[in-house]
Amino acid sequence: MAEPAGHSSGALGSGRLRGVLGVDSGGSGLRIAVARADDAEARPPAARTSPEPVRTGPAGIDADHMLSQLLPMAEELRREAGVHGFAAVCVGAAGMATLGDDLRARLPAALAAAFGVHHLALAADAVTAYAGALGQRPGAVVAAGTGMIALGTDLTTEGGWRRADGWGHLLGDCGGGAWIGRAGLEAAMRAHDGRPGGSAALLARAEAMFGPVAGLPGALYPRPDRPAVLASFAPEVARCAAEDDPAALGIVQAAAGHIADAAAAVCPPGTGTAVACTGGLFGLGEPLLAPLRTALAERLPDARPAAAAGSPLDGALTIAAALAGDRLTLPADARLLQITRPAPG
């Protein structure tokens, strides 16, 4: 049987240049990046994107579907980067904590066979978002897009990871894009009915996007991508808030409060602890950011706001590089950040 690409009889050495692979899997598709293990944080990585999200099924996230996309892209990037395999890989995936059993069962052997992988991290997307934003520093990170989750750590084994929200659009994700969009559409429906708390401005924008709002429940409820559809209305809420619409202002202020509550719930104690926000939601701009700054200052007066250094894909590459160099300090966790050492085939 031919030796797999980069597989060198299980040896990390043997004089062959090896790389690290970062993977970010979410609702918008699959993104991967490859860098040389010896300068993963110094040289821009080579990257590829597949717009097709990895499927989920009865066994959770579908490992076969992920591998069918991941392996060919990784092989292309391996050749482009001029490396002979991957010393370490980090796969960050939305739903890893609760839907990742198939990935945990299948990926270690598959990546070892394909690329001679010696170190593998399987991470929740919140962990790769954390690593992308703060690296391996203690602190708290809020990752918000369609949903919203906060994660914090003091980097100690005893402290581990602290999580708040991220429970999905039916049970939580308070302050995220779907939450804001749903609240905005509720205000539109109130205006349509003539009930208190409505917004004529939001009603007009809802009808411009979706047509007559009386037909919206029938069009929205059966859709499998309902959270994304709700979140698509969040920018309209922000625009109405920028125009001083009272209902929209109240929605974004409440969202800012929910986000700050989550950050405060996970932030390690201490003066100067870094708190960062990352994700597409914060592209809504000042209508959300201004009340969020106020809310964070009220709830975390001793914390230090920090700009997110990079994306979840950057975080996956950071974790992989740290694994390859035996310098990973982020806490291991059976669900949030599982470290395995696949046996080479």
Side-chain angles (χ1 to χ4, degrees), residues 142-262:
V142 176
T146 297
M148 193 282 296
I149 187 171
L151 209 62
T153 182
D154 60 6
L155 297 184
T156 66
T157 303
E158 297 78 12
W161 292 102
R162 301 174 67 181
R163 166 186 170 163
D165 213 333
W167 304 122
H169 76 291
L170 294 178
L171 299 177
D173 284 357
C174 299
W179 188 95
I180 291 173
R182 189 214 58 80
L185 290 171
E186 180 190 343
M189 303 305 286
R190 286 178 173 273
H192 173 267
D193 295 346
R195 290 179 288 149
S199 165
L202 287 170
L203 174 59
R205 290 177 185 261
E207 292 192 323
M209 280 189 69
F210 302 111
V213 294
L216 189 55
L220 180 62
Y221 290 167
R223 292 187 62 150
D225 60 344
R226 185 169 59 244
V229 177
L230 291 171
S232 72
F233 195 62
E236 301 302 323
V237 178
R239 292 185 186 102
C240 287
E243 296 168 2
D244 295 325
D245 178 78
L249 282 168
I251 292 167
V252 294
Q253 288 167 358
H258 288 308
I259 293 168
D261 287 342

Side-chain angles (χ1 to χ4, degrees), residues 1-16:
M1 179 176 177
E3 187 177 66
H7 184 60
S8 182
S9 304
L12 269 172
S14 71
R16 306 182 85 184

Side-chain angles (χ1 to χ4, degrees), residues 130 134 137-141 151-155 161 266-268 273-276:
Y130 184 102
L134 292 183
R137 290 185 287 160
V141 170
L151 209 62
T153 182
D154 60 6
L155 297 184
W161 292 102
V266 304
C267 187
T273 302
V275 177

